[in-house]
């Protein structure tokens, strides 16, 4: 009888001990971050990782004088580079730093322009935010060095001219998980300096992809969750 009571007491104490374990101590599934690599819900993009994307295959970057014209500068080569800063659990907004946006093989159909010497983006780095809300909006903002700025150096009938533009308003685009891309359409820049021969406005459009995490083995594609 004494042994039976001892066993019953032991079982009761064990049950109380298990019941005393707080719910927070139980292990549940890890939250999926906004940005992952390899697949939706895959490995997290780590803070400090380098991200890169060329122009999407078969596309060009354009910098036209109006939102509806095809007159301006067209570049067959462009490369976007960024660094991840924060990557919270979804739903949320991942942030990064745009460290480079370069252009090459550029031509112009502006009357009087013979060739394009360069097209550059200044005042880097810029802030970049990727939101997993519907449409996967992407926003670029000016950094500590100043607003987003574009400078075109052109060889013309009248010699070399420089045209400088600054972003007018907000620079926004959208991510696409199917193509792992970032698309920007008719981002408006206003002339801020340079020759009187330069157009008063510039409208930038480009699609970059696939976006990859070059800090990870094999440079896997980036997904927005």
């Amino acid at each position: 009888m004494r042994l039976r009571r001892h066993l019953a007491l032991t079982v009761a104490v064990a049950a109380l001990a298990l019941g005393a374990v707080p719910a927070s101590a139980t292990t549940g599934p890890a939250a999926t971050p906004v940005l992952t690599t390899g697949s939706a819900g895959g490995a997290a993009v780590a803070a400090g990782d380098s991200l890169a994307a060329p122009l999407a295959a078969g596309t060009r970057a354009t910098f036209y004088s109006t939102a509806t014209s095809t007159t301006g500068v067209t570049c067959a080569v462009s490369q976007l580079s960024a660094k991840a800063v924060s990557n919270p659990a979804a739903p949320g907004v991942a942030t990064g730093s745009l460290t480079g946006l370069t252009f090459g093989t550029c031509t112009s159909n502006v009357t009087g322009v013979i060739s394009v010497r360069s097209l550059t983006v200044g005042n880097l780095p810029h802030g970049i935010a990727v939101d997993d809300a519907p449409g996967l909006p992407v926003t670029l903002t000016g950094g500590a060095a100043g607003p987003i700025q574009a400078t075109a150096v052109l060889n013309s009938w009248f010699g070399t001219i420089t045209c400088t533009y600054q972003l007018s308003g907000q620079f926004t685009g959208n991510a696409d998980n199917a193509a792992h891309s970032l698309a920007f359409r008719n981002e408006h820049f206003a002339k801020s300096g340079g020759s009187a021969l330069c157009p008063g406005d510039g409208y930038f459009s480009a699609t970059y992809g696939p976006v990859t995490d070059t800090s990870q083995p094999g440079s896997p594609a980036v997904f927005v969750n």
Side-chain angles (χ1 to χ4, degrees), residues 1-26:
M1 180 67 70
R2 186 175 299 174
L3 177 61
R4 191 176 299 169
R5 288 178 180 175
H6 177 73
L7 288 174
L9 180 60
T10 302
V11 171
V13 171
L16 288 172
L18 288 173
V21 175
S24 60
T26 61

Side-chain angles (χ1 to χ4, degrees), residues 127-131 136-141 170-174 184:
I128 182 169
V130 181
D131 194 331
L136 305 181
V138 177
T139 305
L140 298 181
T141 54
Q170 197 171 44
F171 197 115
T172 58
N174 299 90
F184 304 99

